[in-house]
Amino acid sequence: MAFGERLKRSAALGMGVAMALVLALSAWLQGAADADIATQDRQREAVLLANALSASLAGTPEGGLNDRLKAWQAGNPAIQSVLVVAGRELLGSTRAEDEAPRGLKRDEKPLFDLVGTLRAAGETNVGEGVVRKKTIQVEDKAGVVTVSVPYRVDGQFAGLVQARVQPAARPARAQRARLG
């Protein structure tokens, strides 16, 4: 009988350790999934904001771009900065040090290159009749999302709108409740 009792105790101990391990791994996986969902939500919110900004600028005369951008920034605290670039020109900016409108500087060549990349992607998509290339660039670093979307004037590609957004953090509990 001693062997039977010992076997029952070791089986119960093994089951207890296995259950604890399963619970710990489940909590770790849930935390990783929550973090991924939070990142996707942050990026989605930034993309929607950048697209809304771009759409609202479509009929704005060049002289009124800075005023429109500053109104957007004042109305939405998540917006850190916004740039509007067309060709080699910085048409508008919310940053005072940019002194827009003006020509792009040498160190701003990546913006010029990005305008070319978005233009080529859009033309390829239209030419092929299929959305194959991305016309939105998203960069997420340390919770600050930088989104570049096409800037269109009269329905034609004119440049890009680049918004740097830091969306408000949501409590993890609210995200889980939303997933439901």
Side-chain angles (χ1 to χ4, degrees), residues 88-90 97-99 102-112:
R88 296 181 181 171
E89 299 289 320
L90 178 67
E97 65 269 14
D98 283 339
E99 300 174 358
R102 62 165 173 79
L104 289 175
K105 298 176 183 171
R106 185 174 299 274
D107 63 336
E108 295 171 323
K109 187 177 184 310
L111 282 173
F112 175 77

Side-chain angles (χ1 to χ4, degrees), residues 73-133:
Q73 190 176 30
N76 192 331
I79 298 174
Q80 288 185 347
S81 66
V82 181
L83 303 174
V84 179
V85 180
R88 296 181 181 171
E89 299 289 320
L90 178 67
L91 298 180
S93 175
T94 57
R95 300 184 306 196
E97 65 269 14
D98 283 339
E99 300 174 358
R102 62 165 173 79
L104 289 175
K105 298 176 183 171
R106 185 174 299 274
D107 63 336
E108 295 171 323
K109 187 177 184 310
L111 282 173
F112 175 77
D113 294 342
L114 186 55
V115 170
T117 301
L118 292 181
R119 178 188 309 275
E123 289 173 356
T124 299
N125 290 344
V126 169
E128 294 178 357
V130 178
V131 177
R132 186 171 64 86
K133 297 197 173 203

Side-chain angles (χ1 to χ4, degrees), residues 60 72 80 106 117 137 153:
T60 306
W72 266 93
Q80 288 185 347
R106 185 174 299 274
T117 301
Q137 297 286 328
V153 175

Side-chain angles (χ1 to χ4, degrees), residues 27-106:
W28 176 71
L29 286 173
Q30 182 65 44
D34 286 347
D36 286 347
I37 290 170
T39 298
Q40 290 174 358
D41 283 350
R42 212 175 39 247
Q43 290 177 357
R44 188 175 299 116
E45 182 180 334
V47 167
L48 288 171
L49 185 60
N51 277 324
L53 261 162
S54 180
S56 75
L57 297 175
T60 306
E62 285 185 19
L65 280 175
N66 284 329
D67 294 334
R68 176 79 50 99
L69 293 175
K70 287 176 182 166
W72 266 93
Q73 190 176 30
N76 192 331
I79 298 174
Q80 288 185 347
S81 66
V82 181
L83 303 174
V84 179
V85 180
R88 296 181 181 171
E89 299 289 320
L90 178 67
L91 298 180
S93 175
T94 57
R95 300 184 306 196
E97 65 269 14
D98 283 339
E99 300 174 358
R102 62 165 173 79
L104 289 175
K105 298 176 183 171
R106 185 174 299 274

